[in-house]
Amino acid sequence: MRLSNELAKLDVPVKLVIDSAVAYTMDEVDMVFVGADGVVESGGIINMMGTYQISLVAKSMSKPVYVAAESYKVSLQPTEISECGVKLLL
Protein backbone atom coordinates (compact mmCIF):
# COMPACT_ATOMS: atom_id res chain seq x y z
CA MET A 1 0.00 0.00 0.00
CA ARG A 2 2.91 2.32 0.68
CA LEU A 3 4.17 1.97 -2.90
CA SER A 4 0.77 2.81 -4.36
CA ASN A 5 0.53 5.90 -2.15
CA GLU A 6 3.98 7.11 -3.20
CA LEU A 7 3.22 6.57 -6.90
CA ALA A 8 -0.10 8.38 -6.57
CA LYS A 9 1.72 11.38 -5.03
CA LEU A 10 3.80 11.49 -8.23
CA ASP A 11 0.61 11.50 -10.35
CA VAL A 12 1.26 7.96 -11.59
CA PRO A 13 -2.07 6.22 -12.26
CA VAL A 14 -2.32 3.44 -9.68
CA LYS A 15 -4.90 0.75 -9.03
CA LEU A 16 -4.58 -1.06 -5.70
CA VAL A 17 -6.27 -4.46 -5.89
CA ILE A 18 -6.80 -7.11 -3.24
CA ASP A 19 -5.36 -10.56 -4.01
CA SER A 20 -8.74 -12.17 -4.65
CA ALA A 21 -9.59 -9.63 -7.38
CA VAL A 22 -6.34 -9.86 -9.36
CA ALA A 23 -7.56 -12.14 -12.15
CA TYR A 24 -10.73 -10.10 -12.54
CA THR A 25 -8.90 -6.76 -12.96
CA MET A 26 -5.69 -7.85 -14.71
CA ASP A 27 -6.99 -6.93 -18.17
CA GLU A 28 -7.36 -3.32 -16.96
CA VAL A 29 -3.71 -2.82 -15.94
CA ASP A 30 -0.54 -2.21 -17.96
CA MET A 31 1.94 -3.68 -15.47
CA VAL A 32 2.19 -5.11 -11.97
CA PHE A 33 4.38 -3.85 -9.12
CA VAL A 34 4.91 -5.89 -5.97
CA GLY A 35 7.10 -5.37 -2.96
CA ALA A 36 9.45 -8.00 -1.55
CA ASP A 37 10.53 -9.06 1.92
CA GLY A 38 13.80 -10.27 0.41
CA VAL A 39 15.62 -10.83 -2.88
CA VAL A 40 18.12 -13.67 -3.36
CA GLU A 41 21.15 -13.64 -5.64
CA SER A 42 19.46 -15.83 -8.27
CA GLY A 43 16.76 -13.16 -8.71
CA GLY A 44 14.09 -14.98 -6.75
CA ILE A 45 11.98 -13.05 -4.31
CA ILE A 46 10.77 -13.85 -0.81
CA ASN A 47 7.39 -12.36 -0.10
CA MET A 48 4.00 -12.85 1.48
CA MET A 49 1.53 -15.35 0.10
CA GLY A 50 -0.22 -14.23 -3.07
CA THR A 51 2.73 -12.81 -4.98
CA TYR A 52 3.31 -16.03 -6.91
CA GLN A 53 -0.35 -16.25 -7.94
CA ILE A 54 -0.40 -12.59 -8.98
CA SER A 55 2.68 -13.20 -11.12
CA LEU A 56 1.15 -16.27 -12.76
CA VAL A 57 -1.99 -14.35 -13.71
CA ALA A 58 0.10 -11.45 -15.05
CA LYS A 59 2.27 -13.80 -17.11
CA SER A 60 -0.76 -15.55 -18.58
CA MET A 61 -2.06 -12.15 -19.72
CA SER A 62 1.35 -10.90 -20.96
CA LYS A 63 1.63 -8.18 -18.31
CA PRO A 64 5.12 -7.29 -17.01
CA VAL A 65 5.78 -7.78 -13.30
CA TYR A 66 8.23 -5.54 -11.43
CA VAL A 67 9.53 -6.08 -7.92
CA ALA A 68 10.40 -3.10 -5.73
CA ALA A 69 12.59 -3.67 -2.69
CA GLU A 70 15.05 -1.71 -0.63
CA SER A 71 18.70 -2.52 -1.33
CA TYR A 72 19.25 -3.90 2.19
CA LYS A 73 16.78 -6.68 1.36
CA VAL A 74 19.07 -8.10 -1.34
CA SER A 75 21.02 -11.07 -0.04
CA LEU A 76 23.97 -12.68 -1.77
CA GLN A 77 23.47 -15.71 0.47
CA PRO A 78 21.58 -17.99 0.28
CA THR A 79 21.68 -18.14 -3.49
CA GLU A 80 18.51 -20.18 -3.92
CA ILE A 81 15.09 -19.69 -2.38
CA SER A 82 15.03 -23.34 -1.36
CA GLU A 83 17.97 -22.61 0.99
CA CYS A 84 16.06 -19.86 2.84
CA GLY A 85 14.03 -22.22 4.97
CA VAL A 86 10.84 -21.00 3.31
CA LYS A 87 8.35 -23.65 2.26
CA LEU A 88 7.02 -23.18 -1.23
CA LEU A 89 3.59 -24.64 -1.85
CA LEU A 90 3.43 -25.38 -5.56
Side-chain angles (χ1 to χ4, degrees):
M1 198 162 150
R2 189 176 68 199
L3 176 61
S4 65
N5 291 336
E6 293 299 321
L7 290 172
K9 286 179 189 175
L10 298 170
D11 294 325
V12 175
V14 176
K15 185 169 195 169
L16 184 62
V17 179
I18 60 173
D19 292 349
S20 61
V22 169
Y24 179 77
T25 58
M26 189 62 71
D27 61 338
E28 300 174 18
V29 303
D30 298 317
M31 64 191 72
V32 176
F33 280 95
V34 295
D37 293 329
V39 180
V40 296
E41 185 178 16
S42 65
I45 65 167
I46 301 166
N47 210 11
M48 304 291 270
M49 291 178 61
T51 305
Y52 181 66
Q53 290 85 348
I54 292 168
S55 299
L56 286 177
V57 171
K59 182 178 180 179
S60 73
M61 299 183 80
S62 301
K63 307 290 183 170
V65 177
Y66 298 98
V67 178
E70 296 88 342
S71 60
Y72 70 86
K73 292 183 178 181
V74 176
S75 173
L76 299 180
Q77 293 179 355
T79 59
E80 296 295 328
I81 290 180
S82 61
E83 298 172 16
C84 295
V86 176
K87 291 187 178 183
L88 301 176
L89 302 175
L90 302 178

